[in-house]
């Protein structure tokens, strides 16, 4: 057994991890993949020539670089059942707040809440792809990823168009109370998710990446709360539209990353 170490410069979230897994899992010579997303490093345990793996990674255009190959034993995988249970809980929390924030966002006319709800949906899609992809056919995984990516990008474009429309029209000022209260609950939900993930004490890449994703969501929640406070003090719709536009940009970026999984 050999271990080849790669630096993947553009690998910074679960989307890229899934892209690599879906690309390499059909290769019978590859026995185990060990991701280190914070350091953008991938260890591939395999038989045969490492250059063939390098070529496959090159097709993804993620900035791969082969550092070296050495003899090694295949590591023992962590308890996947426990990890899946935690990820299911995180998926439920994210999708639940997607529904809550989308509903209250339309009621309160807050683009910040609507954008944050789509950011929650983006995370839910990535978690769902990770969970449902296990044991499934590669073609089915890619079809699901392709549909999810286009769907999310379409939602982001609709959100951008609504932000622009409200910038140019005399739309009503959003209800800051809804923005602040709902975002506080979403913040609590993400804190619980982060606690669950950290409680697992897993060194697996997808668990570490989930912690990074959730930490980013906490920052977004704080941004929407701040926007709600500014709406109150300024009696203006501009803070809500600005935060909405920023978060929609993250949603679009997430959609593009998910779409790459289908290639």
């Amino acid at each position: 057994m050999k271990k080849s170490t790669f630096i993947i410069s553009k690998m910074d979230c679960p989307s890229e991890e899934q892209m690599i897994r879906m690309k390499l899992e059909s290769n019978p010579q590859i026995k185990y993949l060990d991701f280190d997303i914070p350091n953008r490093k991938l260890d591939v345990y395999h038989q045969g020539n490492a250059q063939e793996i390098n070529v496959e990674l090159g097709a993804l255009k993620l900035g791969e670089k082969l550092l070296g190959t050495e003899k090694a034993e295949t590591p023992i995988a962590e308890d996947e059942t426990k990890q899946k249970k935690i990820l299911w809980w995180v998926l439920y929390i994210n999708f639940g707040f997607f529904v809550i924030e989308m509903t209250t966002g339309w009621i309160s006319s807050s683009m910040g809440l609507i954008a944050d709800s789509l950011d929650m949906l983006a995370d839910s899609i990535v978690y769902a792809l990770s969970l449902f992809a296990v044991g499934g056919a590669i073609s089915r995984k890619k079809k699901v990823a392709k549909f999810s990516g286009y769907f999310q990008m379409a939602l982001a474009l609709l959100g951008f168009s609504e932000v622009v429309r409200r910038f140019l029209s005399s739309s009503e000022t959003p209800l800051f109370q809804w923005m602040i209260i709902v975002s506080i609950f979403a913040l609590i939900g993400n804190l619980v998710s982060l606690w669950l993930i950290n409680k697992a004490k897993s060194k697996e890449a997808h668990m570490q990446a989930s912690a990074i994703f959730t930490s980013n969501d906490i920052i977004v929640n704080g941004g929407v709360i701040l926007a709600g406070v500014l709406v109150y003090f300024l009696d203006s719709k501009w803070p809500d539209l600005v935060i909405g536009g920023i978060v929609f940009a993250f949603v679009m970026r997430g959609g593009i990353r998910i779409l790459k999984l289908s290639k």
Side-chain angles (χ1 to χ4, degrees):
M1 183 64 62
K2 301 175 184 177
K3 182 183 79 170
S4 294
T5 301
F6 296 85
I7 292 295
I8 314 293
S9 61
K10 297 181 182 179
M11 180 179 69
D12 59 2
C13 79
S15 301
E16 284 82 20
E17 179 188 346
Q18 287 302 310
M19 287 172 63
I20 293 170
R21 287 189 183 278
M22 293 169 69
K23 184 68 175 179
L24 298 181
E25 67 178 0
S26 60
N27 189 331
Q29 294 185 335
I30 296 175
K31 306 304 179 183
Y32 188 82
L33 299 175
D34 186 9
F35 291 85
D36 182 358
I37 291 180
N39 294 313
R40 293 174 168 79
K41 189 176 75 170
L42 168 64
D43 289 330
V44 181
Y45 293 80
H46 65 95
Q47 297 171 340
N49 194 335
Q51 287 300 328
E52 295 179 5
I53 300 173
N54 196 31
V55 171
E56 290 187 79
L57 289 173
L60 297 174
K61 298 180 180 180
L62 293 177
E64 80 295 336
K65 180 181 179 182
L66 175 60
L67 295 184
T69 301
E70 61 184 8
K71 291 184 178 181
E73 295 293 330
T74 305
I76 300 174
E78 294 182 19
D79 184 5
E80 293 185 358
T81 302
K82 182 179 179 181
Q83 293 177 10
K84 288 181 180 179
K85 185 177 180 180
I86 292 174
L87 287 177
W88 272 115
W89 274 107
V90 175
L91 172 60
Y92 291 147
I93 291 172
N94 274 268
F95 189 77
F97 274 103
F98 154 67
V99 175
I100 293 171
E101 288 190 305
M102 177 62 75
T103 303
T104 54
W106 282 112
I107 293 174
S108 62
S109 298
S110 170
M111 294 308 298
L113 281 179
I114 293 172
D116 193 22
S117 75
L118 293 181
D119 187 46
M120 290 284 200
L121 177 62
D123 291 350
S124 299
I125 291 173
V126 172
Y127 295 138
L129 284 172
S130 299
L131 288 165
F132 289 125
V134 176
I138 297 175
S139 59
R140 180 166 61 86
K141 298 176 189 178
K142 292 185 176 183
K143 287 180 181 178
V144 173
K146 187 174 184 178
F147 171 79
S148 300
Y150 279 125
F151 178 68
Q152 187 171 313
M153 290 172 65
L155 290 177
L157 287 174
L158 286 174
F160 274 126
S161 64
E162 181 64 14
V163 167
V164 172
R165 187 191 71 80
R166 296 191 184 194
F167 261 121
L168 300 177
S169 66
S170 56
S171 59
E172 59 185 299
T173 301
L175 301 176
F176 69 89
Q177 300 96 327
W178 285 87
M179 294 177 64
I180 295 173
I181 293 172
V182 175
S183 292
I184 288 175
F185 279 109
L187 176 63
I188 293 172
N190 279 317
L191 287 172
V192 171
S193 297
L194 187 60
W195 175 75
L196 287 170
I197 294 169
N198 289 334
K199 184 181 177 182
K201 297 180 181 179
S202 173
K203 295 182 180 180
E204 291 286 340
H206 63 281
M207 296 298 287
Q208 294 178 8
S210 297
I212 295 172
F213 253 32
T214 306
S215 298
N216 291 338
D217 287 343
I218 291 172
I219 296 174
V220 172
N221 295 146
V224 178
I225 293 171
L226 176 61
V229 173
L230 291 176
V231 167
Y232 169 69
F233 282 107
L234 301 177
D235 191 25
S236 169
K237 63 182 180 182
W238 303 117
D240 177 61
L241 295 180
V242 169
I243 191 65
I246 292 173
V247 179
F248 277 130
F250 282 110
V251 174
M252 175 62 73
R253 181 169 176 259
I256 293 172
R257 285 181 165 181
I258 292 173
L259 192 60
K260 286 182 179 179
L261 296 178
S262 64
K263 296 182 179 180

